[in-house]
């Protein structure tokens, strides 16, 4: 198996044209020799802008959500075709912030995933348990249910991201043991067989090497540290093979 990793920056609701553009320019410059898969996911408003800055580079663009319909009367929504038209290759779906603040069900996430694949995007499908679910010993059951209900057929092209909700934006990264156990568990499920599994939740330049060394961790989904150029670039620099 190759050592290549998948490093995804989720910019969330951050960055205007200028700061997003500066960030993308720095990433382009520093990561130009990287053999790893590097993806940045800006907000919808600057996907095109960032795609132009990263044109003909080894860095890909993702979006942070999409609708499951191709077009129509869905005010405020964005279709997979619109994202592709703007330069995106990936789309994050089912992020816990969408599940929590927009009441997105796993069923909806699955519909979006199918539409994304049909529209030639690679979905990065997020799952993860809450603190209460972990403390009551239900982490694996919750994650398995989310996966079974959210994922498309295994034969299609998608990426899984395990992000324990309690580790997102809290500085509380899951322990290596917990990450290992959950990633091994996810990898053992037939619906996930052979799919890359990213870890996300308080990843930064000080803990990325240790997390990436864990079995069945194929890459990282990074929030806060992905919009701080020095931190994101250090994470990329620290990768095996650069
Ligand atoms: P943080 O890296 O800020 O904890 O966010 C993780 C995340 O939600 C990435 O999708």
């Amino acid at each position: 198996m190759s050592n290549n990793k998948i490093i995804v920056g989720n910019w969330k609701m951050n960055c205007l044209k200028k700061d997003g553009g500066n960030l993308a320019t720095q990433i382009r410059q520093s990561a130009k020799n990287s053999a790893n898969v590097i993806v940045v996911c800006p907000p919808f408003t600057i996907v095109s802008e960032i795609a132009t800055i990263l044109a003909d580079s080894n860095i890909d663009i993702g979006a942070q959500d999409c609708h499951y319909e191709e077009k129509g009367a869905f005010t405020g929504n964005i279709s997979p075709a619109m994202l592709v038209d703007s330069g995106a290759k990936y789309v994050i779906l089912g992020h816990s912030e969408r599940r929590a603040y927009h009441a997105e069900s796993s069923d909806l996430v699955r519909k979006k995933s199918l539409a994304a694949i049909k529209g030639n995007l690679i979905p990065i499908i997020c799952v993860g348990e809450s603190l209460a679910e972990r403390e009551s010993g239900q982490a694996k059951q919750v994650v398995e249910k989310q996966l079974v209900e959210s994922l498309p057929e295994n034969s299609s092209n998608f990426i899984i991201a395990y992000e324990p909700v309690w580790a997102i934006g809290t500085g509380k990264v899951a322990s290596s043991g917990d990450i290992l156990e959950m990633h091994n568990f996810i990898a053992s499920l037939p619906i996930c067989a052979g799919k890359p599994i990213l870890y996300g939740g308080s990843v930064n330049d000080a803990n990325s090497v240790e997390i990436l060394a864990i079995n069945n961790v194929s890459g990282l989904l990074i929030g806060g540290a992905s919009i701080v150029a020095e931190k994101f670039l250090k994470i990329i620099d620290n990768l095996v093979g650069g």
Side-chain angles (χ1 to χ4, degrees), residues 139-149 185 189 191:
K140 283 187 193 158
Q141 272 163 268
V142 168
V143 167
E144 181 173 6
K145 187 169 188 297
Q146 286 179 346
L147 288 165
V148 168
E149 293 175 357
F185 173 68
L189 299 172
I191 40 163

Side-chain angles (χ1 to χ4, degrees), residues 8-12 92 95-97 126 161 163-165 167-172 199-204 220-226:
V8 184
N10 176 6
W11 294 5
K12 305 194 179 183
I92 297 171
H95 190 282
S96 63
E97 287 150 16
C126 304
E163 298 202 301
V165 176
I168 295 177
T170 57
K172 274 196 244 165
Y199 170 79
S202 295
V203 174
N204 59 41
L220 303 169
L221 180 53
I222 307 165
S226 76

Side-chain angles (χ1 to χ4, degrees), residues 49-228:
E49 185 95 7
I50 301 301
T52 303
I53 293 170
L54 297 176
D56 302 318
S57 77
N58 54 340
I59 299 154
D60 289 317
I61 318 284
Q64 301 173 19
D65 183 40
C66 69
H67 198 272
Y68 56 82
E69 291 287 355
E70 282 173 31
K71 60 180 173 183
F74 300 98
T75 303
N77 285 119
I78 308 276
S79 71
M82 291 169 180
L83 295 179
V84 171
D85 192 42
S86 301
K89 181 171 170 188
Y90 295 84
V91 61
I92 297 171
L93 293 174
H95 190 282
S96 63
E97 287 150 16
R98 302 280 325 164
R99 291 178 189 261
Y101 308 142
H102 298 268
E104 289 199 6
S105 65
S106 289
D107 218 38
L108 178 64
V109 175
R110 185 162 193 274
K111 272 172 102 169
K112 291 183 173 194
S113 304
L114 292 170
I117 291 165
K118 192 167 164 224
N120 284 323
L121 288 165
I122 301 171
I124 300 169
I125 303 163
C126 304
V127 295
E129 81 287 354
S130 67
L131 186 58
E133 289 161 344
R134 173 156 289 270
E135 285 178 343
S136 61
Q138 292 170 21
K140 283 187 193 158
Q141 272 163 268
V142 168
V143 167
E144 181 173 6
K145 187 169 188 297
Q146 286 179 346
L147 288 165
V148 168
E149 293 175 357
S150 307
L151 296 185
E153 295 294 309
N154 183 271
S155 56
S156 47
N157 192 13
F158 62 86
I159 294 172
I160 296 158
Y162 168 59
E163 298 202 301
V165 176
W166 49 271
I168 295 177
T170 57
K172 274 196 244 165
V173 68
S175 71
S176 294
D178 286 344
I179 298 174
L180 175 66
E181 199 177 334
M182 187 61 87
H183 279 241
N184 281 347
F185 173 68
I186 295 172
S188 75
L189 299 172
I191 40 163
C192 303
K195 299 301 175 192
I197 309 167
L198 314 184
Y199 170 79
S202 295
V203 174
N204 59 41
D205 49 321
N207 59 25
S208 62
V209 174
E210 185 183 341
I211 297 170
L212 284 170
I214 299 169
N215 193 42
N216 282 320
V217 172
S218 325
L220 303 169
L221 180 53
I222 307 165
S226 76
I227 52 169
V228 181

